Amino acid sequence: MRAIWKGAVSFGLVSIAVRLYSATEEKDIRFHQVHREDGGRIKYKRVCSVDGEEVAYDDIAKGYDLGGGEMVILTDDDFSDLPLTTSRAIEVLEFVPTEQVDPILYNKAYYLEPEQTAAKPYALLRDALTNTDRVAIVKVALRQREQLATLRVRDSVLVLNTMLWPDEIRAAKFDILDEDVTARPAELAMAGSLIESMAADFDPSTYTDNYREALQEVIDAKVAGREVVQPEEAEEAPAAAVDLMAALRASVERARAARGEEPAEEPTPIKKAPAKRAQAAAVDEEPAEEPTPIKKAPAKKAAAKKTTAAAAKKATPAKKTAAKKSA
């Protein structure tokens, strides 16, 4: 890495000589504008809109548009009179709790490396910020602009985060903020279940820029002279009015399935006993079992049984009757 700035961090009477490095880099694939037919680079000329003449870079000044065709032109001498500090110092203004700095204020991050002679005060500030769980609010002049920034610790390195000024943060003005929209307790409970089913420890290395990878594949295929086969995209269901609870429940089940967990069982609803039966149960802890009712045979079936019995008596053999008489 190449240092883009050299200066010193000063807090109280302590000064720490440091070098500043960009902590981030964009991985976007950049293209040049070219002529479609022969691939020639497209160049732009700086042309004055008044006389149509090409203007050299040294003859270009900064202008502020007042509107109505009026322009105020500022020269380098005008900028030199501005109250911008020329000292290469990162001035600590105060130390504040980490949670009080809204992340929306953060802009760009830089690493601070100490000079060889400033290793001890550098470690002192780093460890003190870690132990107190605070960040330093500082002012620094970078690229001809005074900026508000924070000093915090990341992986044992001091990081300078430039910040937006409070008046650079837009206010959220939406109609829904004026409406009284509330969620039902059951919906909140289901949403909480969904959050718990998708809870995890954040690991940024598990996420990739799919678009950039696909674009690089297209470029590599062009170079190799092969055809790129685009995967079929799954068709999304049209956005329609859905039952919020049903959508939440389905989302929970899908999250559980993705983690290989068993689907959650629906609780069986408890049926309440009638009032009289409930009172009886309250009096007798173990109610006696009811006797099994005796089913009566239908009238026709009973009559048929009687007729069959009478017929059996009449059918007794005659010999058997005579033997009984001689005895």
Side-chain angles (χ1 to χ4, degrees):
M1 290 189 294
R2 183 175 62 88
I4 64 172
W5 184 90
K6 290 184 179 181
V9 178
S10 61
F11 67 107
L13 299 178
V14 180
S15 181
I16 308 170
V18 294
R19 292 187 292 269
L20 200 67
Y21 300 86
S22 291
T24 60
E25 59 179 343
E26 293 185 1
K27 293 290 187 177
D28 289 343
I29 297 176
R30 300 182 181 277
F31 297 96
H32 296 293
Q33 290 186 331
V34 298
H35 189 194
R36 187 189 302 275
E37 295 183 0
D38 55 20
R41 291 279 299 274
I42 304 299
K43 295 183 178 180
Y44 294 91
K45 295 182 178 180
R46 295 178 288 269
V47 178
C48 177
S49 61
V50 176
D51 57 19
E53 297 292 329
E54 186 174 354
V55 181
Y57 185 79
D58 292 338
D59 293 332
I60 296 177
K62 292 182 172 63
Y64 182 80
D65 190 357
L66 296 176
E70 294 184 289
M71 189 78 66
V72 175
I73 299 176
L74 301 177
T75 64
D76 292 339
D77 293 336
D78 296 321
F79 285 101
S80 63
D81 294 335
L82 293 177
L84 179 64
T85 176
T86 57
S87 64
R88 291 183 171 269
I90 301 174
E91 180 186 0
V92 177
L93 305 177
E94 57 186 358
F95 296 95
V96 301
T98 304
E99 65 274 6
Q100 290 185 3
V101 182
D102 192 333
I104 198 174
L105 293 169
Y106 288 132
N107 192 6
K108 187 170 175 55
Y110 300 90
Y111 289 133
L112 290 183
E113 180 191 25
E115 298 285 357
Q116 195 66 32
T117 58
K120 187 171 183 179
Y122 181 95
L124 173 65
L125 177 59
R126 178 195 62 195
D127 296 343
L129 289 175
T130 301
N131 293 340
T132 58
D133 194 22
R134 289 178 177 265
V135 298
I137 303 298
V138 304
K139 273 188 177 182
V140 60
L142 292 176
R143 295 186 174 92
Q144 296 183 343
R145 183 187 177 192
E146 186 178 57
Q147 300 191 52
L148 189 67
T150 62
L151 276 182
R152 60 186 181 89
V153 181
R154 181 182 186 272
D155 295 336
S156 300
V157 177
L158 286 176
V159 176
L160 177 80
N161 268 106
T162 58
M163 303 170 67
L164 301 172
W165 295 98
D167 58 357
E168 294 179 316
I169 304 299
R170 294 178 175 176
K173 297 180 180 179
F174 304 105
D175 294 339
I176 192 173
L177 299 177
D178 299 327
E179 299 177 5
D180 186 13
V181 181
T182 56
R184 294 182 298 167
E187 293 170 343
L188 284 173
M190 187 61 69
S193 299
L194 176 58
I195 292 173
E196 288 298 325
S197 64
M198 298 177 66
D201 293 326
F202 179 60
D203 181 7
S205 63
T206 60
Y207 302 95
T208 57
D209 187 346
N210 296 331
Y211 176 81
R212 178 162 56 91
E213 291 180 354
L215 182 57
Q216 187 64 55
E217 172 66 17
V218 171
I219 295 173
D220 294 342
K222 282 277 189 178
V223 174
R226 56 188 172 84
E227 183 181 356
V228 180
V229 179
Q230 296 291 345
E232 295 183 0
E233 296 184 359
E235 294 185 2
E236 296 184 359
V242 296
D243 182 1
L244 184 56
M245 282 296 294
L248 288 170
R249 189 177 292 107
S251 300
V252 171
E253 296 304 329
R254 185 172 63 177
R256 288 179 177 274
R259 291 173 175 262
E261 301 177 1
E262 294 292 332
E265 296 183 358
E266 292 288 341
T268 305
I270 302 174
K271 296 182 178 180
K272 294 184 179 181
K276 293 182 179 179
R277 191 169 180 179
Q279 291 176 359
V283 175
D284 301 322
E285 294 182 359
E286 297 182 358
E289 296 183 359
E290 296 182 1
T292 305
I294 301 174
K295 297 182 178 180
K296 293 184 179 180
K300 291 183 179 179
K301 196 169 183 179
K305 286 184 177 181
K306 288 181 180 180
T307 306
T308 305
K313 288 182 180 181
K314 290 181 179 179
T316 303
K319 293 180 178 180
K320 194 173 183 180
T321 307
K324 288 182 179 180
K325 286 183 179 179
S326 58

